[in-house]
Amino acid sequence: MSDHDAAPPPLLTRFTSNIRRPHGLVAGVRAEFFCFNGPDADAVLILGRTDLQDALVRVALTRDGEHYGDFDAYIRRPVPKLLGMVANFYADNGVNADRITALGLSKFVDLAVMVDVHQLQTPDGAKASAATATSAVDKPARKPVGPHTAASSLLWSSMFLGQPQVLFALGVIDGPKVIGGGAEGARAARKDGWARLRQLAAVESMADADPAVIRAWAVENGVSVFLPKGYP
């Protein structure tokens, strides 16, 4: 594991936890950190927000002021336990997965560390900033603001991009019936679909995308039935 010399991105949350052995998956590795009930478990709860699922973060570990390493990963919903909460982060195969795997060494297991979670990107792939990061540490939760923020949030939290017909129409997958790659394949396809919608609407953030443009495209491609109820 190695240090990042650049100034850290916006701080999302911070908690003290015990390192758990990581879980190896086919496409990557999941890191787990256990927090006992109390302020630290409460600080993990923000990671369960729908608008933060699949957001890219940098997880930095320290102990008594000593840097223990960091890795970039995607947020997964925390898991409640009788005595506390387990924070989960997923990294695709590569350098970050290897950094997480290193935490499985016996000398790290159950080690108490301070975990700083810095938001690098919002779930739709936009770069996080102090204005867009949803922080539980020093300010109320905020979402990226644009003229169509509400419509964008509704579309993202719906199953629109979970429909093979929609992803096929966007050119993300090769057939209108199957999304390959299991859960991680579906996650990647959803993110690619969101990026295609941004391109279609000619915007950098879907918060700026005119719902009329998205709806017109959906009607033209025969997938408007999948738009969420209440979408403009």
Side-chain angles (χ1 to χ4, degrees):
M1 294 187 282
S2 63
D3 296 350
H4 288 270
D5 296 327
L11 183 63
L12 181 62
T13 190
R14 171 186 290 139
F15 49 87
T16 300
S17 67
N18 297 95
I19 298 173
R20 294 291 186 255
R21 273 204 164 93
H23 286 254
L25 305 170
V26 173
V29 179
R30 185 175 74 243
E32 295 187 355
F33 301 90
F34 175 80
C35 301
F36 286 100
N37 288 326
D40 293 306
D42 293 345
V44 170
L45 286 176
I46 188 178
L47 302 177
R49 290 173 58 112
T50 296
D51 61 339
L52 285 176
Q53 298 315 297
D54 291 325
L56 183 64
V57 295
R58 176 160 299 151
V59 180
L61 311 178
T62 57
R63 177 180 169 88
D64 297 329
E66 181 182 355
H67 184 68
Y68 266 61
D70 51 50
F71 57 87
D72 296 350
Y74 298 100
I75 292 174
R76 292 292 183 266
R77 274 196 167 90
V79 178
K81 300 291 184 180
L82 179 63
L83 298 179
M85 297 287 295
V86 176
N88 294 287
F89 305 92
Y90 172 84
D92 292 314
N93 287 330
V95 62
N96 290 297
D98 292 344
R99 291 175 180 175
I100 292 174
T101 299
L103 298 176
L105 293 172
S106 295
K107 66 179 181 179
F108 292 126
V109 176
D110 287 329
L111 185 71
V113 293
M114 178 70 75
V115 179
D116 282 3
V117 182
H118 298 273
Q119 189 171 0
L120 299 177
Q121 291 181 352
T122 59
D124 66 358
K127 184 178 179 180
S129 67
T132 62
T134 307
S135 177
V137 178
D138 56 0
K139 61 186 178 66
R142 296 180 60 187
K143 297 181 181 179
V145 176
H148 304 293
T149 298
S152 171
S153 297
L154 177 61
L155 192 63
W156 174 257
S157 61
S158 73
M159 288 300 298
F160 184 66
L161 290 175
Q163 303 297 331
Q165 297 93 323
V166 174
L167 296 173
F168 176 64
L170 285 168
V172 174
I173 60 176
D174 295 330
K177 295 184 178 181
V178 178
I179 304 174
E184 294 309 319
R187 175 188 65 79
R190 192 165 182 258
K191 290 173 70 70
D192 287 347
W194 195 249
R196 299 288 180 94
L197 287 177
R198 289 205 311 270
Q199 293 174 356
L200 184 124
V203 295
E204 292 187 4
S205 169
M206 284 296 287
D208 297 319
D210 187 345
V213 173
I214 304 302
R215 180 170 287 280
W217 172 87
V219 170
E220 181 181 352
N221 288 273
V223 294
S224 60
V225 67
F226 299 117
L227 288 170
K229 184 178 180 180
Y231 189 74

